[in-house]
């Protein structure tokens, strides 16, 4: 073994899904419906959804927070793993995309277990910070990249000790590794990754899963 991460080919990705993916029918249908949208690329990959679901189960999570709902695919993976008295709070500014999410959550019988906060995520998080510090077991950040730092700081306050922040797209198409790339989103991700590397408040791992997934456990 070289100790290097395997390059992901289409054939290897197909194999990985064949031998590990257990996507329930309702999630497959939501993924296929979302694939019809021009913005379909915003959705996480199915193996990432299954990974999030496993994390919810491993943590025994009752309260989950998500920033970036889109059509509700990642939220549904996680909500399916919550106990009956569990709650997932998810934040998004799009009425149009979250209307699709609501349809599928209802069909899954999980409408009551998912609390959608519509509006700018910074405002939804500010409202949660008024009343719910230390209440959450897991937070998933998957929204505008320039907002990541603020969302991370809010999530750390909202999590209990031992809770987990999961951050999507931290390898951002590989661009942060190219110093010549000064695009605003790339710079935001690069600064965010540097900050987390030095952040003694968390235990850290950055997994090369899909577009990069960072796990930060609140100490
Ligand atoms: C990458 S998508 C989320 C994908 C979703 N987690 C999934 O797997 O289906 C990002 C979402 O963040 C939302 N968003 C972007 N900036 C936002 C902001 N400032 N406040 C609230 N939502 C925002 C967008 O409307 C979009 O639905």
């Amino acid at each position: 073994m070289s100790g290097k991460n395997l390059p992901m080919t289409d054939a290897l990705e197909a194999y990985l899904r064949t031998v590990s993916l257990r996507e329930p029918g309702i999630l497959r249908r939501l993924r296929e419906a979302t694939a019809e949208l021009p913005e379909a690329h915003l959705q996480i990959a199915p193996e990432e959804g299954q990974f999030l679901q496993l994390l919810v189960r491993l943590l025994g999570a009752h309260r989950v927070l998500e920033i970036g709902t889109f059509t509700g695919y990642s939220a549904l993976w996680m909500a399916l793993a919550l106990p009956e008295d569990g709650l997932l709070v998810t934040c998004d500014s799009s009425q149009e995309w979250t209307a699709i999410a609501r349809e599928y959550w209802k069909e899954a019988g999980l409408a009551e277990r998912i609390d959608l906060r519509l509006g700018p995520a910074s405002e939804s998080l500010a409202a949660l910070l008024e009343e719910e510090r230390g209440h959450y077991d897991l937070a998933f950040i998957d929204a505008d990249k320039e907002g990541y730092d603020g969302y991370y700081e809010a999530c750390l306050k909202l999590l209990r000790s031992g809770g987990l922040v999961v951050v999507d797209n931290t390898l951002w198409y590989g661009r942060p590794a190219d110093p010549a790339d000064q695009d605003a989103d790339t710079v935001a991700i690069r600064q965010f990754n540097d900050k987390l590397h030095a952040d003694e408040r968390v235990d850290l791992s950055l997994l090369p899963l899909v577009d990069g997934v960072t796990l930060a456990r609140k100490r």
Side-chain angles (χ1 to χ4, degrees), residues 114-190:
I114 303 178
D115 174 1
L116 172 65
R117 306 282 175 112
L118 262 182
S122 55
E123 290 177 19
S124 302
L125 289 169
L128 290 174
L129 282 167
E130 295 284 313
E131 61 210 62
E132 303 215 290
R133 288 177 184 240
H135 282 207
Y136 288 83
D137 304 294
L138 185 149
F140 178 51
I141 301 175
D142 185 20
D144 53 308
K145 307 312 161 203
E146 292 183 75
Y148 268 28
D149 188 32
Y151 304 151
Y152 172 73
E153 288 300 328
C155 287
L156 272 191
K157 294 186 181 94
L158 289 163
L159 285 178
R160 64 167 167 87
S161 173
L164 190 67
V165 191
V166 184
V167 191
D168 200 24
N169 309 115
T170 47
L171 292 178
W172 196 234
Y173 306 97
R175 292 181 189 160
D178 174 6
D181 192 329
Q182 293 297 319
D183 170 78
D185 286 340
T186 304
V187 170
I189 292 283
R190 194 183 286 128

Side-chain angles (χ1 to χ4, degrees), residues 42-44 68-70 73-74 92-93 97 119-121 142-144 151:
L42 294 177
Q43 188 171 66
I44 60 164
T69 317
F70 190 42
Y73 183 74
S74 48
D92 205 289
S93 51
W97 290 334
D142 185 20
D144 53 308
Y151 304 151

Side-chain angles (χ1 to χ4, degrees), residues 20 23 26 35 45 53 66 95 99 106 117 129 134 146 154 156 165 183 186 190 206 213 215:
S20 73
E23 186 183 37
I26 188 156
Q53 184 175 80
E66 177 179 69
Q95 178 94 51
K106 191 169 171 206
R117 306 282 175 112
L129 282 167
E146 292 183 75
L156 272 191
V165 191
D183 170 78
T186 304
R190 194 183 286 128
L206 199 174
V213 176
L215 305 182

Side-chain angles (χ1 to χ4, degrees), residues 171-219:
L171 292 178
W172 196 234
Y173 306 97
R175 292 181 189 160
D178 174 6
D181 192 329
Q182 293 297 319
D183 170 78
D185 286 340
T186 304
V187 170
I189 292 283
R190 194 183 286 128
Q191 288 174 349
F192 180 74
N193 286 338
D194 287 345
K195 168 179 163 159
L196 261 66
H197 191 209
D199 189 347
E200 295 291 338
R201 297 172 296 173
V202 296
D203 301 310
L204 186 67
S205 182
L206 199 174
L207 302 174
L209 171 64
V210 196
D211 195 30
V213 176
T214 290
L215 305 182
R217 177 189 172 273
K218 181 175 172 179
R219 287 181 168 158

